[in-house]
Amino acid sequence: MSDLDPDLAGLPLVDHHCHGLVRRDLTRAEFESMLTEAAGPSALGGSLFDSQVGLAVRRWCPPVLDLPAHAPAAEYLDRRAELGADEVNRRMLTATGTGTFLLDTGYLPEPITSPAQLAALAGGRAREVVRLEALAEEVLAEEVGAAGFAERFRTRLAARTAGAAGVKSIAAYRVGLGLEGARPADAEVARAADRLLAGGGRLRVADPVLHRFLVWCGIDLGLPVQFHVGYGDADVDLHRCDPLLLTDLLRATEPAGVPVMLLHNYPFHRNAGFLAQVFGHVFVDVGLATHNVGHRSGAVLRELLELAPFGKVLFSSDAFGLGELYLLGTLLFRRGLGRYLAEGVAEDAWTTADAVRVAAMIGAGNAERAYRLS
Amino acid sequence: MSDLDPDLAGLPLVDHHCHGLVRRDLTRAEFESMLTEAAGPSALGGSLFDSQVGLAVRRWCPPVLDLPAHAPAAEYLDRRAELGADEVNRRMLTATGTGTFLLDTGYLPEPITSPAQLAALAGGRAREVVRLEALAEEVLAEEVGAAGFAERFRTRLAARTAGAAGVKSIAAYRVGLGLEGARPADAEVARAADRLLAGGGRLRVADPVLHRFLVWCGIDLGLPVQFHVGYGDADVDLHRCDPLLLTDLLRATEPAGVPVMLLHNYPFHRNAGFLAQVFGHVFVDVGLATHNVGHRSGAVLRELLELAPFGKVLFSSDAFGLGELYLLGTLLFRRGLGRYLAEGVAEDAWTTADAVRVAAMIGAGNAERAYRLS
Amino acid sequence: MSDLDPDLAGLPLVDHHCHGLVRRDLTRAEFESMLTEAAGPSALGGSLFDSQVGLAVRRWCPPVLDLPAHAPAAEYLDRRAELGADEVNRRMLTATGTGTFLLDTGYLPEPITSPAQLAALAGGRAREVVRLEALAEEVLAEEVGAAGFAERFRTRLAARTAGAAGVKSIAAYRVGLGLEGARPADAEVARAADRLLAGGGRLRVADPVLHRFLVWCGIDLGLPVQFHVGYGDADVDLHRCDPLLLTDLLRATEPAGVPVMLLHNYPFHRNAGFLAQVFGHVFVDVGLATHNVGHRSGAVLRELLELAPFGKVLFSSDAFGLGELYLLGTLLFRRGLGRYLAEGVAEDAWTTADAVRVAAMIGAGNAERAYRLS
């Protein structure tokens, strides 16, 4: 068994949840608006470079652009502009060392890279994760009518996910995670669709019956279902996004044997670890938090790994937009996990061989098995 | 004052909450099913030996069976089978060094050791903790009728607890911890019993009025009342098991001056620490978590000890079934607490004398005082 | 850029939330009753000196009274009595090194120092924070009638806060933090006032409409609004005090651009950090917890600083009554933050210059900007 590198620099990775890259050049305000989950820097609070993720950008990203580590934000952004977004993205993505990306293609606030484009930048592979609510809204907009929605959606989802790795639910953003478990009957779905269509205006799925229906459609197709859980932007009511609120639905879906992936989870990641232990089909990660907490990524991972069996933990960056976030999400995951495993070896809690094996599972093996990637 | 051993290897312990041992030989699947709160290993997630508690078993238990530390799971289980469950149990229990065990005798999914048998294996003493709901279901099954239930239960509980150390409520598993505080009148109890008896089928107490009544019966007898709180198996709705939901009941019962013990608490152990500080009769532990989080036991204890006064913190293993869990629950508690106290000495946060005194309180003194064991 | 002192001993501080000092001499029981959020030591649990904050008093306070560190509690209290409360208070307050105190003057269980008196003891400046509910109860007691309450309160608040730094809401203690966001109409306020006045007895504001109205009055005056959040005494229902419950109100008040300060937050401080990131007007601290968790102050700060932008984090002691708590709140904040920042420098997560700058922001700069103190 080889030695354990505390940076896990060469560890093969599957980034099982991320988004596309923005390809245009950005002002400082635009860069800061993509740096955290804030809409942007606030007049009251100052620059978002003064945050864990901001200091992490300054620590790790300047060398990728030929600047010294810890370069000031203004110098860094000047150099970024000089190289251009495409070159920056290429350098950042190459530096991640990620082999496979699973991309949520349902969040498109502006034009971003496709899965194939992202993979090409990194010299890796990409697969799509289909956002359930976006597809449902597309089907509803086709004037199929409430009664025909359920059937049309099932057909469309099967077609749309032919090459996809899984599906994703954003029920957390729309109604929270307190969903009942039982599969809703088509008549119930039709009534919910009718309520939505009768409402007029922009079609926006935000009904517990519909979210539950969509999830069950994914389960019925045997597709791993990702859930947004916990940490997100100001649109999220975080107190409705505790993964424990999914308990009923997890209990109901477990017999199907289809993986359910709880994304992000912070600051409820210990709760997620519990669910990963007691429900055989639940997988968990701490993506998005990993780069946002910067220097503290290892502390968060340690908490996740208290109860979560090591065969149920995944890696994701949940990066969106900025190449820097893909690099940081990856690098801080590698260092956070690697240093924890190395410490355990030093304290004789486990062997080097076990540490190497656990790193391989969490980095890629678990995702390959759960998503049947190989 | 003697030196502080960072392993607290010789610290006298009262394990104020545990269960009995399984005495039959176990297959690997059976062993794994008792290792964590999962029903067993899942096809999707792999072996539960790949978890904190699994690696802790491999680190600490093989030497007790004459194998090297970190022996592979298969070798360990072979050796376990070779020695037989009785010999393994004897070795593990002896290695705990625990002097007194308080056993919850209300969980019997299969034949397990009695309190006296367990104590004999460890060379210690044992006392019983009577599970309130099990006794209530026994009384209800006697066709006493709803109107006679309250009185019959009080009489039976007094008799049944003559030699007991306390009682235990599993309201958390049945209805959650959001119980009102006020003692229910007998007429209210009778109505609740009537609802239950009218329901037919297996008699299963799951009614806030009844759980509250049972708790008050324990209080009235002056018996310490244990509550399952937080972490448990997949039957638990963990979001209903935050100890803070007990606030009303704690406020109502405090004047009685009878100890209330909040068990496990993870991942709500900081909340439990708060309750231990502000309510004079509340005691807390992090049993069950202590061995499940393995190498991280000290981290969890540190959080518990932030607000909880040191005179209100108890030790428990909450071990069930496997001799290994008694040993790990004990050893990881000793090391977790001992290293924290030693670090505090090294940083001059407290003196060695204080550290030694605090360890003695938490290990045994607080339990002896609260349960009047001596 | 100067070196980073890991004790941040000379860092200028604004204590943006504290109370007054008790000036009489105290018995041991009285001292212990002010030491934590417990009403006092319990017969079951022993002395509250056996707690994190108790050991921290013994570590840090005896030298200020000319005794060796770690002096026994009895010796310490004897020396305290010998010097007298005024001298002890003067020594403790001087030792804080705090330049500016913002005092909540609405909690007066017994005579305590005024802002000016406290400032004089420390050789610093003081500004008042007006407690909204106390002022509302004062106005209601003037028999203004329900219909006239809203207008009279607005006028009174404007007058009363002429020289004040901000206002404070204790909705958490009265009804919890699950307040709607929308500004209530005066007619709605009148109905709520009518319900309260009709209730008879002591006038005690405990109505979501009224708390919300009071907060909006502060916002309309452009005054920073402090909220009690999280940790407090046994009167608080902690499960109703999670800052996430304020999400609606934060969303509604953000456009006004008036700072909202979430106080204490423990054990929900990570949730508070999230809110500080996504809402531009939200500031956070971990006052009260900082001294209560003693030796663990740095651990709590590290968690707060995971998501909270460094421009949105404030210092407060939330000290009340005992001079010791002002010193400990300050000293444990300085050490907790300083050691964390120094560790980050040692690990090359950030530069010394950044660490020094961040310390200055959190210690005083953010408060000076948000409260417009300079």
Side-chain angles (χ1 to χ4, degrees), chain C residues 154 181-189 208-214 216:
Chain C
R154 279 191 287 260
R183 178 201 309 267
D186 277 13
E188 203 184 344
V189 174
V209 171
L210 294 179
H211 292 290
R212 196 152 39 100
F213 166 70
L214 302 180
W216 274 104

Side-chain angles (χ1 to χ4, degrees), chain C residues 47 65 75 92 144 206 212 214 272 281 287 290 323:
Chain C
S47 168
L65 308 191
E75 283 178 31
M92 295 291 167
V144 59
R212 196 152 39 100
L214 302 180
H281 64 322
T290 309

Side-chain angles (χ1 to χ4, degrees), chain C residues 127-140:
Chain C
R127 292 279 294 284
E128 187 182 5
V129 172
V130 175
R131 195 178 282 204
L132 293 165
E133 287 80 6
L135 191 66
E137 289 160 4
E138 183 185 307
V139 170
L140 284 161

Side-chain angles (χ1 to χ4, degrees), chain B residues 123-304:
Chain B
R125 293 166 302 284
R127 294 278 293 284
E128 187 183 5
V129 172
V130 174
R131 194 178 281 205
L132 291 165
E133 286 80 6
L135 191 66
E137 288 160 4
E138 182 185 309
V139 170
L140 284 161
E142 291 169 7
E143 306 192 2
V144 59
F149 167 68
E151 187 52 33
R152 172 88 65 104
F153 180 80
R154 280 191 286 260
T155 308
R156 184 70 56 84
L157 184 66
R160 185 73 172 70
T161 56
V167 297
K168 180 181 171 193
S169 166
I170 56 163
Y173 265 91
R174 301 289 175 83
V175 298
L177 293 176
L179 303 173
E180 285 175 47
R183 178 201 309 266
D186 277 12
E188 203 183 344
V189 174
R191 283 193 298 275
D194 191 53
R195 284 193 298 272
L196 175 54
L197 293 166
R202 186 183 147 225
L203 287 169
R204 188 170 177 274
V205 172
D207 182 308
V209 171
L210 294 179
H211 292 290
R212 196 154 37 102
F213 166 70
L214 302 180
V215 167
W216 274 104
C217 289
I219 298 277
D220 289 342
L221 289 172
L223 290 167
V225 180
Q226 299 182 343
F227 278 91
H228 175 96
V229 181
Y231 182 34
D233 63 30
D235 284 342
V236 91
D237 283 350
L238 192 57
H239 58 284
R240 301 189 305 175
C241 298
D242 184 330
L244 297 180
L245 297 172
L246 279 174
T247 301
D248 269 3
L249 189 64
L250 296 177
R251 215 172 262 144
T253 54
E254 184 174 25
V258 177
V260 168
M261 276 63 179
L262 307 181
L263 306 173
H264 324 322
N265 294 299
Y266 183 97
F268 310 114
H269 43 289
R270 278 173 159 164
N271 301 5
F274 162 76
L275 295 170
Q277 179 177 102
V278 302
F279 292 110
H281 64 322
V282 169
F283 291 75
V284 291
D285 72 38
V286 283
L288 186 56
T290 310
H291 59 265
N292 269 282
V293 306
H295 182 236
R296 290 274 300 173
S297 64
V300 172
L301 274 162
R302 278 157 218 241
E303 293 174 344
L304 179 70

Side-chain angles (χ1 to χ4, degrees), chain A residues 88-105:
Chain A
V88 170
N89 287 341
R90 194 192 56 73
R91 292 191 186 192
M92 294 291 166
L93 269 285
T94 304
T96 63
T98 301
T100 302
F101 298 86
L102 307 189
L103 262 82
D104 171 2
T105 52

